[in-house]
């Protein structure tokens, strides 16, 4: 999916890059990838091992770059973790993408098994003492959110099906 859609020219951001494994892999393939990660400890640990890897600490809802700075934007497992919804992440992605830029974004899928579990009462409210963790979205629901921001959806791809079943 990455090499099918990512442009060979221009900067690519992985927003919420964690330890930077995708940034490292893309750079080894010749892409101009960089990463931003919220966790300072994660960035420090990664840079202690890969000091030249272009990752930095930052808030992906307020990136310190100009409008249209990136040719592509990758967000894997990030936008679903905001209780109020994913829109601030996506609005910022839209701002920093160049016209015609590509966003690759993954979210948990609210597939048939999860819908059945919801009907059976497996997801009843917020357990006491625990913070909000994540949303899952149907394909149409998330496509609607993306289109509401201004994105055109080129395609969808289901991955980690076994993890979703577990």
């Amino acid at each position: 999916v990455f090499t099918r859609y990512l442009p060979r020219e221009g900067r690519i951001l992985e927003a919420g890059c964690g330890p930077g494994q995708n940034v490292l892999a893309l750079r080894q393939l010749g892409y101009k990838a960089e990463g931003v990660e919220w966790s300072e400890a994660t960035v420090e640990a990664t840079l202690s091992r890969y000091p030249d890897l272009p990752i930095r600490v930052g808030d992906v809802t307020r990136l310190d770059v100009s409008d249209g700075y990136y040719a592509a934007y990758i967000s894997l497992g990030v936008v679903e973790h905001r209780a109020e919804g994913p829109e601030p992440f996506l609005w910022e992605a839209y701002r920093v993408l160049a016209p015609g830029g590509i966003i690759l974004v993954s979210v948990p899928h609210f597939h048939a098994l999860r819908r059945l579990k919801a009907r059976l009462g497996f997801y009843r409210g917020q357990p006491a003492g625990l913070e909000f963790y994540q949303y899952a979205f149907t394909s149409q629901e998330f496509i609607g959110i993306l289109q509401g921001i201004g994105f055109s959806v080129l395609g969808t791809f289901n991955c980690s099906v076994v993890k979703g079943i577990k």
Side-chain angles (χ1 to χ4, degrees):
V1 172
F2 283 60
T3 57
R4 178 178 178 192
Y5 288 105
L6 291 177
R8 294 302 297 177
E9 299 297 322
R11 295 179 191 93
I12 298 170
L13 176 69
E14 183 179 10
C17 68
Q21 70 271 22
N22 293 319
V23 174
L24 181 61
L26 288 169
R27 291 185 71 79
Q28 288 176 342
L29 292 172
Y31 292 93
K32 296 174 189 163
E34 59 187 70
V36 171
E37 170 57 38
W38 178 260
S39 170
E40 187 173 339
T42 299
V43 171
E44 287 175 3
T46 300
L47 291 176
S48 72
R49 187 160 183 200
Y50 300 100
D52 296 328
L53 192 65
I55 67 170
R56 64 189 184 280
V57 175
D59 179 349
V60 297
T61 65
R62 290 190 306 264
L63 294 164
D64 58 349
V65 298
S66 59
D67 295 0
Y69 189 77
Y70 293 105
Y73 184 105
I74 302 167
S75 176
L76 306 176
V78 174
V79 305
E80 68 270 16
H81 293 293
R82 184 175 178 271
E84 298 81 11
E87 289 82 0
F89 296 105
L90 299 170
W91 278 112
E92 184 66 350
Y94 191 82
R95 180 189 73 80
V96 301
L97 272 171
I102 297 291
I103 182 172
L104 299 178
V105 58
S106 73
V107 295
H109 187 227
F110 196 56
H111 51 68
L113 179 58
R114 284 185 170 146
R115 290 193 300 273
L116 173 63
K117 287 173 75 174
R119 282 194 294 278
L120 295 173
F122 280 79
Y123 307 124
R124 291 188 184 157
Q126 183 67 35
L130 296 178
E131 293 183 29
F132 172 81
Y133 181 62
Q134 72 180 16
Y135 285 110
F137 301 89
T138 65
S139 296
Q140 285 310 110
E141 180 181 23
F142 200 69
I143 287 170
I145 292 169
L146 290 169
Q147 290 173 334
I149 299 293
F151 291 107
S152 297
V153 176
L154 300 176
T156 62
F157 177 80
N158 293 326
C159 62
S160 301
V161 175
V162 173
K163 183 179 177 184
I165 292 171
K166 286 183 183 180

